[in-house]
């Protein structure tokens, strides 16, 4: 069975909103867009490239899909270690507003109930399915116990509020640390497996 691996750039206080640039997502009055890039170094770039290269496909929410689809098909030569798997591997998109055909090659809309569709994909043969960003989709998959692993880059910054993938729902979810490294900028690259009984 394939695993679902959630990949997130995260602040120390658990925020995943708008890591890349200032106006990426200002919803809720979020004013700290672009908090992540100052912590990205060669080790973290290799970590991202290694993770994407090992994926069997990607799961996206609409907003993340549209943002990535507008950039990665035309990525520069020096970005091909990340661009190649993103462009060539299957991409599955959760959206109630997009219609097929989708413009980014090898992209398909998830049909019907999203948790059921992802459950079906997990049962297929192939490599693991990686969620990138896609806060709402990640939360939905967590709520339905469909996440098997987290790959998080935890940056040494606190932003005081914003979107998180972990809900304040009182649920306890034990994890097991599989791998960790510390970057030159003080960020922590950590892989956690969901501990199921």
């Amino acid at each position: 069975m394939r695993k679902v691996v959630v990949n997130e750039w995260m602040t120390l206080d658990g925020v995943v909103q708008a890591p890349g640039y200032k106006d990426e997502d200002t919803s809720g009055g979020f004013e700290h867009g672009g908090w992540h890039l100052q912590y990205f170094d060669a080790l973290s770039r290799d970590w991202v490239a290694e993770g994407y290269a090992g994926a069997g496909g990607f799961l996206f929410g609409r907003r993340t899909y549209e943002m990535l689809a507008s950039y990665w098909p035309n990525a520069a030569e020096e970005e091909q270690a990340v661009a190649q798997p993103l462009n060539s591997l299957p991409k599955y998109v959760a959206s109630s507003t997009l219609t097929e055909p989708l413009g980014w090659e090898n992209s398909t809309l998830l049909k019907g109930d999203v948790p059921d569709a992802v459950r079906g994909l997990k049962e297929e043969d192939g490599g693991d399915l990686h969620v990138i960003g896609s806060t709402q989709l990640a939360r939905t998959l967590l709520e339905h116990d469909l996440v098997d692993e987290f790959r998080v880059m935890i940056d040494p910054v606190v932003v005081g509020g914003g979107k998180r993938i972990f809900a304040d729902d009182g649920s306890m979810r034990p994890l097991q640390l599989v791998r960790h490294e510390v970057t030159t900028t003080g960020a922590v690259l950590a892989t956690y497996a969901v501990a199921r009984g």
Side-chain angles (χ1 to χ4, degrees):
M1 179 177 268
R2 305 163 94 180
K3 293 187 294 190
V4 168
V5 180
V6 171
N7 296 263
E8 297 288 347
W9 295 333
M10 185 178 292
T11 65
L12 186 59
D13 55 341
V15 173
V16 297
Q17 185 171 353
Y21 55 93
K22 185 167 181 50
D23 297 324
E24 182 178 343
D25 179 2
T26 58
S27 62
F30 190 71
E31 298 178 352
H32 303 296
W35 51 265
H36 169 69
L37 294 182
Q38 64 186 316
Y39 301 107
F40 216 53
D41 68 356
L43 178 63
S44 53
R45 276 192 297 278
D46 290 346
W47 179 77
V48 168
E50 173 191 311
Y52 291 4
F58 298 97
L59 295 167
F60 295 115
R62 178 196 56 82
R63 184 182 177 93
T64 301
Y65 173 80
E66 289 181 330
M67 185 174 58
L68 298 181
S70 71
Y71 182 81
W72 288 108
N74 303 305
E77 185 62 36
E78 63 270 13
E79 297 175 302
Q80 289 306 304
V82 171
Q84 196 277 331
L86 283 173
N87 289 327
S88 64
L89 291 171
K91 291 164 282 293
Y92 305 97
V93 186
S95 174
S96 59
T97 57
L98 293 177
T99 57
E100 290 185 318
L102 297 174
W104 196 6
E105 70 174 303
N106 297 323
S107 297
T108 307
L109 281 175
L110 292 172
K111 306 287 192 281
D113 180 71
V114 169
D116 285 345
V118 171
R119 215 173 271 114
L121 289 172
K122 285 183 70 166
E123 291 173 0
E124 293 178 0
D125 291 333
D128 296 338
L129 301 166
H130 285 240
V131 179
I132 299 172
S134 307
T135 309
Q136 187 175 344
L137 174 61
R139 287 182 79 145
T140 297
L141 299 177
L142 268 167
E143 289 167 12
H144 290 85
D145 195 30
L146 291 168
V147 176
D148 302 288
E149 196 170 282
F150 296 95
R151 287 176 49 94
V152 292
M153 181 172 174
I154 305 166
D155 292 340
V157 63
V158 173
V159 295
K163 293 179 182 175
R164 295 171 167 86
I165 61 168
F166 301 109
D168 293 330
D169 60 5
S171 296
M172 189 166 79
R173 295 177 175 92
L175 305 173
Q176 178 181 5
L177 182 64
V178 174
R179 178 179 170 188
H180 70 284
E181 297 175 85
V182 179
T183 72
T184 61
T185 62
V188 176
L189 306 176
T191 301
Y192 293 96
V194 174
R196 293 190 171 96

